[in-house]
Amino acid sequence: MTKIDSKRVKDFLINNAVVILMILAALMVGIMRPNFFSAGNARNLISNTAARFIIALGVSGCLISKGTDLSAGRQVGLAACLAATFLQRGDYSAKVYPNIGELPILLVLAGIVLLFMVIGLINGVVVAVFKVPAFIATLGMQTIVYGACLVFTGAQPIGGLRSDYTIIASGTVLNFIPYIGIIAAVIGAVMWFLYNKTPHGKYMYAIGGNENSAEVSGINTTRTKIIIYMLASVLYAVAGFIYGGKSGGASVNLGMSYELQAIAGCTIGGVSTNGGIGKISGILVGVLVFELLAIAMQFMGVETSYTYIVQGIVIIFAVALDIRKYVAKK
C-alpha cells in the first residue's frame, strides 16, 4: 500500500470514527443479545430513526448555512401538544376543549404547520435581518416556545387521543415497515431534491461556504436564510405531530434536548458545523447510528442516566472531528 493510500485509509477511519465505533458496538450487542436483531427491534429502530430524521433535516439547513436552531426540540414539543389537544376523542372525559368536536386530522396538521411557519419566519428575520447570532436568536425562541407551551397546556399532560391519529405512528405496511418510515422517506426525498436540484439548495450551500461571496454573486442571502428557518419549523411541526401520536399523548417535556440529538446526528452524518457541507444520505446515516447506540444501550440494561452521558460524549467527539476536518482543509 502506498503512502497516499495509507493516508486516505487513515483519514477515512478518523473522519468516520464515530459511525464505525457505534456500528461495532451494535454488532457486539447483537452477539451478546441475539434478540437485538429481531424484526420487532428493527421496526422500533426504523420508527425512532424516522421521527428524529425529520427533525435533523430541519436543523441541517441551519447548520449548512452556518447557523443553528436550538429551539427545534421545544417546537417539536409544542406541535405535539397542539396536535394532542385538538385530536382527543370526543367522548374523553378530560377533553381540553369539550365543546370542539372531532376535527379532521389534515385540518389540524395544516393549522399547526401554518403557525410554525410564523415561528420560523420570526427566527429567520431575527437571524437574517437583525443579524442576531443564530445561537442567541434560537435560544431565545426556545424559551419563548417552552413558555407558550406551559401556558397553553397548564403544565398538564394531554391524553385520550383518537385511534385514527395514533395509527399514523403505530401502523405498519406489510406488518413491518412503519407508516412513519414511509413519511420520513418521502420527506427525505423532497429535501434531497430541494438541496441538490433547486436554486434554494445552491444558495444555501453558497451562504455556508462564504456568505460575503454569495452576496457579491447576487444571491439574496436574507431571503434564503428566512426560507431555511421557516422550512425548519415546518419540519419540526410535522415531527411534533408524529411524536404526539407515537407517544399516545403529549406534555411540555416532550422534545426536550431533541435539537442536540439532531445536531449530533447531522454532524455524525457529515454536516459541517462550519457550514457549506452536508448530504441528506449522510444525515440519515448519522441519525440511524445515533439511535442504534441508544437502543443498544437499552438492550445491555444501561441506566438511562448513563445513556445521556454517553450521548453527550458522542456529540463532543463528533463536533471535534468536524473541526479537525475543517482545520485540515485550511
Side-chain angles (χ1 to χ4, degrees), residues 25-26 29 33 35-37 40-49 52 287-302 307 311:
V29 172
R33 301 283 192 277
N35 58 336
F36 178 75
F37 292 118
N41 193 41
R43 284 195 299 269
N44 184 44
L45 177 62
I46 294 172
S47 179
N48 291 344
T49 299
R52 296 190 185 279
V287 174
L288 177 63
V289 296
F290 197 74
E291 187 60 36
L292 193 63
L293 173 65
I295 294 178
M297 287 191 288
Q298 289 176 4
F299 266 78
M300 292 303 295
V302 177
T307 300
Q311 289 180 336

Side-chain angles (χ1 to χ4, degrees), residues 263-286:
I263 292 172
C266 287
T267 307
I268 292 169
V271 178
S272 176
T273 54
N274 293 292
I277 300 173
K279 296 180 180 180
I280 299 298
S281 57
I283 296 168
L284 176 59
V285 171

Side-chain angles (χ1 to χ4, degrees), residues 79-282:
C81 288
L82 288 170
T85 297
F86 294 106
L87 291 174
Q88 289 180 301
R89 298 194 310 271
D91 60 352
Y92 185 56
S93 59
K95 199 172 190 302
V96 178
Y97 296 110
N99 295 326
I100 297 179
E102 294 191 354
L103 301 173
I105 291 179
L106 290 179
L107 177 63
V108 173
L109 176 60
I112 294 172
V113 166
L114 287 173
L115 172 62
F116 277 68
M117 286 179 69
V118 175
I119 295 175
L121 174 63
I122 295 171
N123 268 342
V125 168
V126 172
V127 171
V129 178
F130 295 106
K131 307 299 182 184
V132 176
F135 175 85
I136 300 299
T138 58
L139 180 62
M141 182 58 75
Q142 178 194 82
T143 307
I144 292 170
V145 170
Y146 180 54
C149 194
L150 281 170
V151 172
F152 177 74
T153 63
Q156 298 299 314
I158 304 165
L161 306 186
R162 289 156 42 184
S163 59
D164 58 343
Y165 170 40
T166 56
I167 191 72
I168 295 174
S170 61
T172 60
V173 176
L174 301 176
N175 200 32
F176 179 73
I177 304 174
Y179 291 159
I180 303 178
I182 297 173
I183 294 171
V186 171
I187 293 175
V190 171
M191 294 299 291
W192 179 90
F193 181 83
L194 183 67
Y195 280 17
N196 296 279
K197 301 297 180 180
T198 67
H200 171 77
K202 294 177 182 177
Y203 298 162
M204 178 182 69
Y205 283 104
I207 291 172
N210 190 315
E211 186 171 349
N212 291 330
S213 296
E215 288 180 346
V216 171
S217 65
I219 295 174
N220 188 332
T221 58
T222 299
R223 183 178 64 186
T224 302
K225 282 185 177 181
I226 291 174
I227 292 173
I228 288 170
Y229 284 91
M230 287 181 68
L231 179 58
S233 288
V234 168
L235 291 171
Y236 306 150
V238 174
F241 183 87
I242 290 172
Y243 264 111
K246 186 173 183 293
S247 305
S251 72
V252 293
N253 291 323
L254 196 155
M256 184 175 66
S257 299
Y258 282 12
E259 66 279 352
L260 300 180
Q261 296 173 17
I263 292 172
C266 287
T267 307
I268 292 169
V271 178
S272 176
T273 54
N274 293 292
I277 300 173
K279 296 180 180 180
I280 299 298
S281 57

